[in-house]
Amino acid sequence: GEERLTCDFAHSICLFIHAGLTDGSVVTQTPLLWVNQSQSTIMNCSHTDISYYQMYWYQQLPGQNMKLIVFTTTSPPFQYEDGFSKEKFPADRKDALSGSLTVKQLQPEDSGVYFCSVSQHSDEAE
């Protein structure tokens, strides 16, 4: 179904984190966060298949397409896409089954849907 997100509170940042399923591996995420402006927040993602060691974090702002923020493996350095920085969006990996994304100095324009996905390998040529 369609996810609808409305944020009406003054100076609050609304982040909805979408959970999913990948080839039978359950992916679990923080569900919904309300955060005050200028604060930081952390979003966690975990899954159940140790062979899926690559984790991707996406941002979808209202009325826009989904954009990849960062691609992580079990150890840094992580690969950030243009327009996203590790200073604003520091990612962390505890192990192959879990990771997190922090959003620092939250602003109203950060309100949106954040997705986590996992895979066994990247689509890039080796």
Side-chain angles (χ1 to χ4, degrees), residues 2 67 88 99 108 115:
E2 183 179 334
K67 293 179 184 173
K88 171 76 175 176
F115 297 83

Side-chain angles (χ1 to χ4, degrees), residues 7 28 58 60 66 74 88 100-101 103 115:
C7 301
T28 307
Y58 298 88
Q60 187 169 24
M66 190 186 308
T74 49
K88 171 76 175 176
S100 66
L101 180 73
V103 186
F115 297 83

Side-chain angles (χ1 to χ4, degrees), residues 27-55:
V27 178
T28 307
Q29 296 177 247
T30 310
L32 178 64
L33 294 169
W34 289 99
V35 188
N36 289 327
Q37 189 166 340
S38 298
Q39 290 187 333
S40 295
T41 192
I42 187 165
M43 296 173 275
N44 295 300
C45 179
S46 62
H47 62 97
T48 57
D49 188 335
I50 199 159
S51 68
Y52 286 72
Y53 63 92
Q54 298 185 328
M55 185 173 286

Side-chain angles (χ1 to χ4, degrees), residues 6-13 34:
T6 308
C7 301
D8 292 325
F9 294 91
H11 306 301
S12 278
I13 316 303
W34 289 99

